[in-house]
Amino acid sequence: MAENYTQGTIQAAPNFDANRDAEILRKAMKGFGTDEQAIIDVVANRSNDQRQKIKAAFKTMYGKDLIKDLKSELSGNVEELILALFMPSTYYDAWSLRHAMKGVGTQERVLIEILCTRTNQEIRDIVNCYKSEFGRDIEQDIRADTSGHFERLLISMCQGNRDENQNVDYQKAQEDAQRLYQAGEGRLGTDESSFFELRFHLFSIDREFSGNVERGLKAILQCALNRPAFFAERLYYSMKGAGTDDSTLIRIIVTRSEIDLVQIKQVFSQMYQKTLASMISSDTSGDYRRLLLAIVGQ
């Protein structure tokens, strides 16, 4: 197995039958009360691709929109989680970016979490989807919502042409960091061209940049070295302390569920001496907790 081999906790269900699943969901929502457990059993054990087929089957069989029906039956975090699971994955990323830039204030951490961690192919798909679904140019939205080094960093990430060579050359990285540091030493502003060439190898990040730029660069670097560790850390801080950042918890669990959630769980245990499942258990409740744990597994 390659060292960068990863796997999700959700695989496509064998013997999948979209019509049967559509029927189960219809029964779960019909009549008095909702059978949440039946819904959880279906959504947690089907791949995203299979969920798209269930949506189509539901419409064909009942002439109804599954998502509208789910919305009318569910509420709160479990609703947000189930709706996220039913979005095609590229669309979910595009939707999350759109919502991070819509309305008052920009959720910079969401922009970083998506734009600085996805593969080149994923980025290109997201940019296209953003255009086709929302009729908007993501670069224009980023320019309108951010500025300075941070804006340039995100626009650069939107190009989807990062060096994806997995073997980071530490010797070269050190030299790059040195050059970068000298470019930033003792004068206003930083030599951006050398800066963007060296997007990756940043070992003196903290000295020159502040806030979001620094967070973005760290995300890029972390993802170059150990992507699951980036997400493990984000998950931990979404639950640590008072209150839970449910949107982040939902977004990461859903978006990584078929990619590298197995590795994220392993790294999480190593980093925090507790399992991801145990932290979710103590931080959430009800159907929301049941569904998260069904996705994460023990």
Side-chain angles (χ1 to χ4, degrees):
M1 253 176 232
E3 67 181 290
N4 51 2
Y5 169 81
T6 60
Q7 74 192 107
T9 53
I10 292 182
Q11 271 91 35
N15 312 318
F16 169 66
D17 179 343
N19 292 354
R20 190 185 58 209
D21 285 347
E23 201 176 328
I24 292 169
L25 292 178
R26 177 86 172 117
K27 279 207 181 100
M29 294 187 286
K30 221 173 151 186
F32 189 69
T34 304
D35 182 354
E36 277 93 357
Q37 190 57 53
I39 299 175
I40 289 171
D41 289 341
V42 169
V43 296
N45 297 297
R46 306 290 181 271
S47 66
N48 189 282
D49 208 39
Q50 290 174 333
R51 290 185 215 114
Q52 304 316 314
K53 295 187 170 110
I54 297 169
K55 267 198 306 207
F58 194 89
K59 187 152 243 172
T60 304
M61 291 165 73
Y62 305 112
K64 289 168 83 74
D65 182 332
L66 174 60
I67 302 307
K68 278 195 182 131
D69 279 13
L70 286 166
K71 273 185 176 163
S72 67
E73 297 290 329
L74 304 164
S75 62
N77 291 321
V78 77
E79 176 187 357
E80 188 181 337
L81 176 53
I82 287 177
L83 295 184
L85 287 164
F86 272 105
M87 289 185 197
S89 42
T90 301
Y91 175 81
Y92 184 38
D93 275 347
W95 180 89
S96 299
L97 290 167
R98 177 79 189 104
H99 279 258
M101 293 188 280
K102 215 171 152 183
V104 183
T106 301
Q107 296 166 298
E108 286 88 355
R109 282 166 195 259
V110 178
L111 304 183
I112 291 168
E113 182 203 299
I114 295 173
L115 293 173
C116 298
T117 69
R118 301 305 191 245
T119 64
N120 288 336
Q121 189 55 56
E122 285 166 345
I123 291 282
R124 291 187 204 120
D125 293 343
I126 290 164
V127 169
N128 292 334
C129 177
Y130 195 93
K131 184 107 192 155
S132 62
E133 292 294 331
F134 307 120
R136 303 177 69 90
D137 181 316
I138 195 168
E139 287 189 26
Q140 282 176 358
D141 281 357
I142 289 169
R143 288 204 169 90
D145 265 53
T146 61
S147 61
H149 286 301
F150 186 52
E151 175 193 317
R152 283 192 281 273
L153 178 66
L154 294 180
I155 297 284
S156 164
M157 291 297 100
C158 281
Q159 308 314 307
N161 55 13
R162 256 184 299 177
D163 175 10
E164 288 187 314
N165 171 17
Q166 282 295 325
N167 311 314
V168 177
D169 176 346
Y170 286 96
Q171 180 59 42
K172 181 173 183 310
Q174 289 291 5
E175 289 162 16
D176 284 354
Q178 197 50 46
R179 262 178 43 215
L180 184 59
Y181 181 62
Q182 281 158 356
E185 274 291 60
R187 57 193 158 104
L188 287 168
T190 298
D191 176 350
E192 256 117 24
S193 56
S194 79
F195 167 66
F196 281 121
E197 276 163 41
L198 313 168
R199 281 186 295 241
F200 269 152
H201 310 310
L202 297 164
F203 292 95
S204 61
I205 287 171
D206 303 304
R207 310 196 49 175
E208 178 67 21
F209 300 107
S210 60
N212 291 318
V213 180
E214 187 189 315
R215 274 196 284 273
L217 294 172
K218 280 189 169 152
I220 293 163
L221 180 62
Q222 253 183 318
C223 286
L225 303 176
N226 185 343
R227 198 180 310 246
F230 170 81
F231 290 110
E233 189 181 333
R234 285 280 287 158
L235 284 167
Y236 179 75
Y237 285 105
S238 76
M239 294 181 279
K240 187 184 182 293
T244 304
D245 176 356
D246 290 294
S247 284
T248 295
L249 177 57
I250 289 169
R251 196 175 50 251
I252 295 178
I253 296 295
V254 171
T255 56
R256 310 316 291 180
S257 61
E258 292 181 52
I259 300 175
D260 52 5
L261 193 50
V262 169
Q263 283 68 34
I264 291 168
K265 282 163 60 178
Q266 288 164 352
V267 175
F268 190 97
S269 299
Q270 289 158 10
M271 286 167 73
Y272 303 112
Q273 279 71 60
K274 60 174 114 179
T275 65
L276 176 56
S278 68
M279 196 164 182
I280 288 173
S281 267
S282 56
D283 234 66
T284 59
S285 62
D287 292 320
Y288 176 48
R289 175 203 276 160
R290 288 219 302 264
L291 179 48
L292 282 171
L293 292 177
I295 297 166
V296 168
Q298 293 308 313

